Amino acid sequence: MAATATVAGVEVSTEHWIGGERVGSRDTFDDRSPIDEAVIARVARGREDEAGRAARAARDAFPGWAGTPAAERARILHAIGDGIEARVAEIAAVETLDNGSLHRSMQRSVIPRAAYNFHFFADALLALHEDDFESRGHRNRVEWDPAGVAVVITPWNAPLMLATWRLAPALAAGKTVVDKPPEWAPMSASLLADVAHRAGLPDGALNVVQGIGEEAGAALVAHPDVDRIAFTGSVATGRLVARAAGSNLTPLSLELGGKSPLLIFADADLDAAVAQAVNQYDNAGQVCLAGTRLLVERDVYDQFLDRFVDRATALVQGDPRRDDTAIGPLITREHFERVDGFVRRAKEDGAKAVLGGGPNEELGGLYYRPTLFVDAPPGSEILRHEVFGPVLTLQPFADEDEAIALASDTDYGLAAIVYTGDPKRAERVSATLIAGTVWVNCFFVRDLRAPFGGAGNSGIGREGGRYSFDFHADVKTVCTAPWTANETGGKERRNG
């Protein structure tokens, strides 16, 4: 009998999903809820054997899935999206207990977005057309051939939604997939396997191998049967993944960290800018896109700081299952200590915490107070390295040139946010910033047709819409010379 756990009232398999069946392992690892650090499940701990088995299952299933007509693939993907939508309440409850995200966000937007990812790429598959252009009388046709087996390694801050962002286009492109969910929050990947199976996805098209990154993840990215790797996570781990991929020349897409600037000019709607700045504490700051470096024009700096502190102080921290909670816990004790280390070193460097600055002693556990630093020395660690917690910095600037210089003082380039009332300034500044996405007077507005990715230490590659198909397919050009009738009435090619 397959091993299961009851998580938030939902029965969830704690075993792998390989080749259309549940597969156990000789060992398990503890999955703890960040809400109270209690063990909620003991999960199968995959290693090289399970990784190899999943890669082979995906390879065996590839010809059948790749050969499935696009309309049928799209139908199954829509069915997966429908299956997620039918279980939003259950999945949201599991995800919140598993990774500590706000339940209201999971139920209202994040889990529905996971369903939408499948619906979108199902439609995008049917809308994908062959480019056809002429050159010196020759016809050039561009085709997207399924590229084999993909490994998708997903992070813990939004496990299901970020997994489906990569899984949906890979499956739409006709590839088969092995998903390695985060060991700190693996439960929703198991539920997704159930949903996909019930939707009619062929056995082996989607496989889920649970385990520790250094074991299961490392075995998967180095496996010779893997044709693409999509990884979301830290820069350090991304380098290890790239090194393993390089040994097999496996193409990869890396979405890594961020240290994004949020630039606020004096002509901006200050109330809207303050609200957006406080919003960067969302998910306890565990968001790669977050604008953690607040850069404010000196003329409104004091006003901004006063309004920010007033608004942030009113945030309710506590159990993420409550509707009035705005900030939940950090994911694990290990990550909690990492965030606290950044804060302690920032104070030692001379930065001043005008908000928060340490653990929430009243709540205990993994709850860390929303923190804002001012007066951090130029070039200090807190200004340059990703904390991935509820920790922001505030710096003043005198003019547009200084704002751009401060925004550019980082090795990351994932995103940037600009608040201004001047459209021309918005264009100038956006054109200068090094970032995969620049939001002007808004944040987190994502059209799935648009490319997404980062520059510098924030990653390699772009995905979204057709860009995803470019990555998950072998893009091929077929160049055909003009045809002419031969003497017998047939057709022959004339060499150009």
Side-chain angles (χ1 to χ4, degrees), residues 128-444:
L128 190 67
H129 63 86
E130 297 175 345
D131 284 345
D132 201 337
F133 53 93
E134 184 271 339
S135 175
R136 292 184 297 157
H138 292 61
R139 179 193 180 197
N140 292 269
R141 187 178 72 254
V142 179
E143 300 176 350
W144 288 265
D145 293 344
V149 175
V151 163
V152 174
I153 301 179
T154 48
W156 44 263
N157 55 330
L160 183 67
M161 191 272 286
L162 291 176
T164 59
W165 160 246
R166 254 64 184 270
L167 295 172
L171 290 168
K175 295 172 65 178
T176 52
V177 185
V178 182
D179 179 33
K180 194 291 185 179
E183 57 263 34
W184 290 349
M187 293 287 96
S188 59
S190 184
L191 293 176
L192 177 61
D194 293 336
V195 169
H197 181 63
R198 293 192 182 101
L201 188 68
D203 293 347
L206 170 64
N207 306 274
V208 177
V209 177
Q210 302 174 124
I212 310 303
E214 295 86 347
E215 298 170 352
L220 284 169
V221 298
H223 199 281
D225 273 333
V226 172
D227 301 287
R228 295 288 189 277
I229 299 169
F231 170 80
T232 303
S234 71
V235 174
T237 305
R239 289 194 174 103
L240 295 176
V241 171
R243 192 174 298 128
S247 65
N248 292 324
L249 292 180
T250 306
L252 76 167
S253 174
L254 301 178
E255 197 267 274
L256 306 177
K259 193 69 174 176
S260 303
L262 197 169
L263 295 82
I264 299 169
F265 290 90
D267 59 6
D269 179 336
L270 197 58
D271 287 335
V274 168
Q276 196 61 265
V278 174
N279 188 46
Q280 305 309 301
Y281 289 127
D282 183 46
N283 205 27
Q286 299 168 130
V287 178
C288 56
L289 293 165
T292 57
R293 295 184 295 134
L294 310 179
L295 310 177
V296 179
E297 193 163 2
R298 197 176 298 278
D299 290 348
V300 294
Y301 179 89
D302 291 336
Q303 294 180 58
F304 174 89
L305 178 57
D306 290 343
R307 296 189 199 183
F308 180 95
V309 171
D310 286 346
R311 192 175 183 116
T313 301
L315 294 174
V316 176
Q317 187 169 32
D319 191 321
R321 294 169 293 191
R322 292 175 53 94
D323 282 345
D324 63 341
T325 297
I327 300 180
L330 296 175
I331 184 69
T332 65
R333 177 60 55 181
E334 175 185 342
H335 188 60
F336 181 94
E337 296 298 338
R338 179 181 181 276
V339 170
D340 190 53
F342 271 106
V343 171
R344 288 186 284 102
R345 291 190 299 274
K347 293 177 180 178
E348 293 169 1
D349 286 342
K352 177 183 177 183
V354 294
L355 181 73
N360 189 323
E361 299 86 353
E362 296 176 6
L363 295 174
L366 301 180
Y367 295 87
Y368 207 91
R369 293 187 183 278
T371 296
L372 177 67
F373 278 112
V374 299
D375 300 334
S380 58
E381 179 191 56
I382 198 65
L383 295 176
R384 296 190 56 82
H385 292 271
E386 184 180 45
V387 178
F388 218 63
V391 180
L392 309 180
T393 60
L394 177 61
Q395 297 170 271
F397 63 83
D399 53 29
E400 193 173 302
D401 289 341
E402 186 179 12
I404 293 170
L406 289 172
S408 302
D409 188 22
T410 176
D411 294 327
Y412 295 95
L414 187 57
I417 310 164
V418 179
Y419 267 75
T420 178
D422 184 343
K424 291 184 178 179
R425 167 180 281 150
E427 290 184 8
R428 287 194 306 269
V429 173
S430 298
T432 305
L433 294 173
I434 300 172
T437 302
V438 178
W439 282 286
V440 177
N441 296 335
C442 61
F443 178 59
F444 233 156

Side-chain angles (χ1 to χ4, degrees), residues 484-492:
T484 181
N486 62 22
E487 294 179 355
T488 61
K491 295 286 185 180
E492 64 179 10

Side-chain angles (χ1 to χ4, degrees), residues 69-93:
E72 177 63 7
R73 293 206 304 268
R75 185 194 67 78
I76 293 174
L77 293 185
H78 276 303
I80 296 173
D82 292 341
I84 295 173
E85 289 172 346
R87 301 189 66 181
V88 163
E90 291 180 329
I91 298 173

Side-chain angles (χ1 to χ4, degrees), residues 97-132:
L97 188 62
D98 203 17
N99 85 331
S101 295
L102 299 183
H103 179 259
R104 67 170 186 269
S105 296
M106 291 296 106
Q107 181 148 337
R108 296 174 190 173
S109 60
V110 180
I111 304 305
R113 177 58 178 267
Y116 176 68
N117 285 340
F118 276 100
H119 290 309
F120 173 87
F121 283 105
D123 290 338
L125 168 62
L126 297 180
L128 190 67
H129 63 86
E130 297 175 345
D131 284 345
D132 201 337

